Amino acid sequence: MPKDFSRTSRLGEQIQREVAQMIQFEMKNPKLGMVTLNQVKVAKDLGYADIYFTVMGAKGETDAEIRANTSKILNEAAGYLRSQLARILTTRVTPQLRFHYDETLERGHHLTGLIKQARDADDARHPGEADIADDGDDRQD
């Protein structure tokens, strides 16, 4: 049975905390928006760490431009962040950092919209049943 809290998970959480602080306090790039690190997945051999982020950017840019610019900036700074991380971590090997935009929030909003659209269509077809099913509790006591 695998451990509930493996070494790579603990290391991923530490990398997430440390890199988030470095991005917030040490990186002085004006093109970098407000970056949030959502998850860090560390390979079992500690060769690399995939860091998933979301970003709120500047006005006047599209979401795609903000994502592309932020991803480019973070991946270019990965060497610097890794060298700073090597000073903090107590591991023999410091993983290479790879940044990826986390699309789970957008997928969640999209799915929520589809569910709402389906419920609205269903409510339009069956107007009298909407009041009964709207309590959010599908259990019958």
Side-chain angles (χ1 to χ4, degrees), residues 108-124 134:
H109 288 301
H110 177 70
L111 290 174
T112 302
L114 290 175
I115 292 169
K116 183 181 180 327
Q117 184 179 8
R119 286 189 67 168
D120 291 345
D122 191 45
D123 289 346
D134 259 354

Side-chain angles (χ1 to χ4, degrees), residues 20-118:
Q21 287 182 350
M22 286 184 235
I23 290 172
Q24 184 178 4
F25 297 116
E26 295 179 22
M27 290 184 66
K28 303 294 182 195
N29 193 327
K31 294 181 181 180
L32 193 61
M34 195 167 123
V35 177
T36 303
L37 303 183
N38 296 341
Q39 184 178 18
V40 176
K41 292 182 181 178
V42 180
K44 290 184 188 284
D45 65 352
L46 306 182
Y48 59 88
D50 289 317
I51 301 174
Y52 296 90
F53 70 91
T54 54
V55 63
M56 289 177 33
K59 292 180 181 177
E61 293 182 346
T62 64
D63 288 341
E65 290 173 340
I66 292 168
R67 280 182 254 153
N69 289 338
T70 303
S71 183
K72 181 181 175 192
I73 290 167
L74 290 174
N75 281 306
E76 287 175 355
Y80 167 76
L81 294 171
R82 181 181 182 208
S83 66
Q84 296 300 313
L85 197 57
R87 296 178 184 183
I88 298 167
L89 297 180
T90 57
T91 58
R92 185 171 49 110
V93 177
T94 302
Q96 291 183 2
L97 306 178
R98 301 186 300 193
F99 290 90
H100 310 281
Y101 181 73
D102 190 3
E103 297 179 356
T104 55
L105 281 173
E106 290 178 7
R107 272 190 256 142
H109 288 301
H110 177 70
L111 290 174
T112 302
L114 290 175
I115 292 169
K116 183 181 180 327
Q117 184 179 8

